[in-house]
Amino acid sequence: MPKGQPEVVPNDGLTTRQRRNRPILAVHTGPMKGKSTAAFGMALRAWNQGWSIGVFQFVKSAKWRVGEEAAFRALGESGQGGPVEWHKMGEGWSWSRKQGSEEDHAENAREGWAEIKRRLADERHDFYVLDEFTYPLHWGWLDVDDVVTTLRERPGRQHVVITGRNAPAALLDAADLVAEMTKVKHPMDAGQKGQRGIEW
Amino acid sequence: MPKGQPEVVPNDGLTTRQRRNRPILAVHTGPMKGKSTAAFGMALRAWNQGWSIGVFQFVKSAKWRVGEEAAFRALGESGQGGPVEWHKMGEGWSWSRKQGSEEDHAENAREGWAEIKRRLADERHDFYVLDEFTYPLHWGWLDVDDVVTTLRERPGRQHVVITGRNAPAALLDAADLVAEMTKVKHPMDAGQKGQRGIEW
């Protein structure tokens, strides 16, 4: 990771401060599990800035990220830092009156994205985590062009971090930061199953 | 990341539960900044288990990770989850009466490691983050054999996550989990400097 001076100063008509403060679209992809973990680590810094954080988990089950969710709820209630909202597709989105069908994941994903679009237009949060959001894109449940255009044209200073495998090329093109998590060695290779406190 | 059943069940005389609950030694290495970020994301899950967390930052400056530190201090004081201790080399280790010389980073690193050794022997924490700990190893300030042997032989169920570039091969050999963070694209490439809330 470079620190300090960037190697290239683009001719984009922006001051250093304007360029520095451009909102980031980050994508964490690759085969290793650190993708979401690193996104929630980033969210700790955003929280400490007093930023409004919105987490949207595009996962089928509410089983995962229980540790992160509990921690961010505690942070949101701590009276320090920024407010935190945490929404899970797996339970039916909490903002929605009609609970989406358990079975219809595609419809649930579309409802989730529609809400995120509204919030981006309203500049509702400063920092969004769209966890496992690449899957509804990869599976064709959401229109990639719509997602990319919406993200590119989002108003104000809203940072967005998207996690998941198989991120579409158009999303990677639009991203300012793409990190790939690569497995070098994992306990599962030695026959060890995931364990509480480590994997969830 | 594999989920569910491991592909190999080793003939190690352990039950699945014993094998599952073996303490993890993880190393996050590679050129990208997510290494520490992902380690602190893991620590969120450990905190939620009520585990005692010890963070030891082997960095020269107290400038970095302010967001993570503030968040974990708030979590430690929340009355939920586990207790959190956060120690920084850059200010002179807080447990030490004699403040190490500002200049003598090697001596400070050795003091830090000596304390971690004592804590591992005492089973003081359940989850250790040794942030940027590869640097004193890489620079020869600490004896790699001593570190690897101590980690391999640590008693009880103490998880250890080590971050930083240039992890020595012997440490990677000893690790159960090695994740490499790779940069695919970074805003710095487009001339954008690091910004508050995102980079620190």
Side-chain angles (χ1 to χ4, degrees):
Chain A
M1 244 301 299
K3 279 180 191 168
Q5 292 302 319
E7 287 169 21
V8 184
V9 177
N11 185 14
D12 55 11
L14 298 176
T15 66
T16 300
R17 174 182 289 268
Q18 286 169 330
R19 196 179 302 113
R20 164 171 282 198
N21 287 334
R22 277 184 305 188
I24 295 285
L25 173 61
V27 178
H28 292 182
T29 191
M32 186 87 176
K33 204 184 246 163
K35 300 183 286 296
S36 302
T37 308
F40 292 120
M42 288 180 75
L44 292 175
R45 297 197 284 268
W47 170 85
N48 187 51
Q49 292 300 322
W51 292 356
S52 168
I53 294 172
V55 177
F56 302 84
Q57 292 200 281
F58 286 78
V59 287
K60 279 182 279 184
S61 160
K63 182 183 168 192
W64 298 96
R65 321 264 179 253
V66 288
E68 290 89 333
E69 182 180 355
F72 276 96
R73 289 202 191 281
L75 288 172
E77 293 161 6
S78 68
Q80 306 169 47
V84 178
E85 286 191 36
W86 191 289
H87 300 287
K88 290 192 288 265
M89 189 176 83
E91 304 179 333
W93 298 107
S94 42
W95 65 74
S96 174
R97 280 286 176 83
K98 66 170 164 113
Q99 296 291 304
S101 154
E102 278 275 328
E103 274 66 46
D104 197 348
H105 301 139
E107 178 56 25
N108 286 347
R110 283 190 290 270
E111 275 184 25
W113 169 243
E115 176 69 13
I116 291 163
K117 264 182 98 160
R118 284 189 291 270
R119 292 183 182 219
L120 286 168
D122 293 346
E123 303 184 39
R124 177 88 160 262
H125 302 291
D126 303 296
F127 191 93
Y128 297 73
V129 178
L130 311 188
D131 191 33
E132 314 268 16
F133 186 62
T134 57
Y135 297 100
L137 291 169
H138 181 63
W139 294 328
W141 296 347
L142 301 177
D143 180 53
V144 174
D145 286 344
D146 174 43
V147 167
V148 168
T149 303
T150 302
L151 289 170
R152 277 190 193 276
E153 297 176 355
R154 71 195 187 280
R157 189 168 171 218
Q158 302 180 87
H159 301 283
V160 180
V161 183
I162 292 172
T163 75
R165 297 185 191 205
N166 299 319
L171 181 63
L172 297 179
D173 285 347
D176 306 293
L177 187 157
V178 177
E180 184 161 306
M181 275 60 175
T182 307
K183 181 186 83 165
V184 178
K185 191 200 267 187
H186 193 277
M188 198 80 68
D189 302 336
Q192 184 168 358
K193 291 183 169 187
Q195 63 182 303
R196 187 189 305 273
I198 296 296
E199 303 287 340
W200 66 88
Chain B
M1 243 303 298
K3 281 179 190 170
Q5 292 303 318
E7 287 169 21
V8 183
V9 177
N11 184 14
D12 55 11
L14 298 175
T15 66
T16 299
R17 174 182 288 268
Q18 286 170 330
R19 196 179 302 114
R20 164 172 283 199
N21 287 334
R22 277 184 305 187
I24 295 284
L25 172 61
V27 178
H28 293 181
T29 191
M32 187 87 176
K33 205 183 246 164
K35 299 184 287 294
S36 302
T37 309
F40 293 119
M42 288 179 74
L44 293 174
R45 298 196 284 267
W47 171 85
N48 188 51
Q49 292 300 323
W51 292 356
S52 168
I53 294 172
V55 177
F56 301 85
Q57 293 199 283
F58 286 78
V59 287
K60 279 182 278 185
S61 161
K63 182 182 168 192
W64 299 95
R65 321 263 180 255
V66 289
E68 290 90 333
E69 183 180 355
F72 275 96
R73 288 201 190 281
L75 289 172
E77 294 160 5
S78 69
Q80 306 170 45
V84 178
E85 284 191 37
W86 191 289
H87 300 286
K88 290 192 287 269
M89 189 176 82
E91 304 180 331
W93 298 107
S94 42
W95 65 74
S96 173
R97 280 286 177 85
K98 67 170 163 118
Q99 296 291 302
S101 154
E102 278 275 327
E103 274 67 46
D104 196 348
H105 301 139
E107 178 56 27
N108 287 346
R110 282 190 289 270
E111 275 184 24
W113 169 243
E115 176 70 13
I116 291 163
K117 264 183 97 160
R118 285 189 291 270
R119 292 183 182 218
L120 287 168
D122 293 346
E123 302 184 40
R124 177 87 160 264
H125 302 290
D126 304 296
F127 190 94
Y128 297 73
V129 178
L130 311 188
D131 191 33
E132 315 266 19
F133 186 63
T134 57
Y135 297 100
L137 291 169
H138 181 64
W139 294 328
W141 296 348
L142 301 177
D143 180 53
V144 175
D145 285 345
D146 174 43
V147 167
V148 168
T149 303
T150 302
L151 290 170
R152 277 192 193 275
E153 297 176 355
R154 69 194 188 281
R157 189 168 171 220
Q158 303 180 88
H159 301 282
V160 180
V161 183
I162 292 171
T163 75
R165 297 186 191 203
N166 300 317
L171 181 64
L172 298 180
D173 284 348
D176 306 292
L177 188 157
V178 177
E180 184 161 306
M181 275 60 176
T182 307
K183 181 185 81 165
V184 178
K185 190 200 268 188
H186 192 276
M188 198 82 65
D189 302 334
Q192 184 168 358
K193 290 182 169 188
Q195 63 182 302
R196 187 187 306 271
I198 296 296
E199 303 286 341
W200 66 86

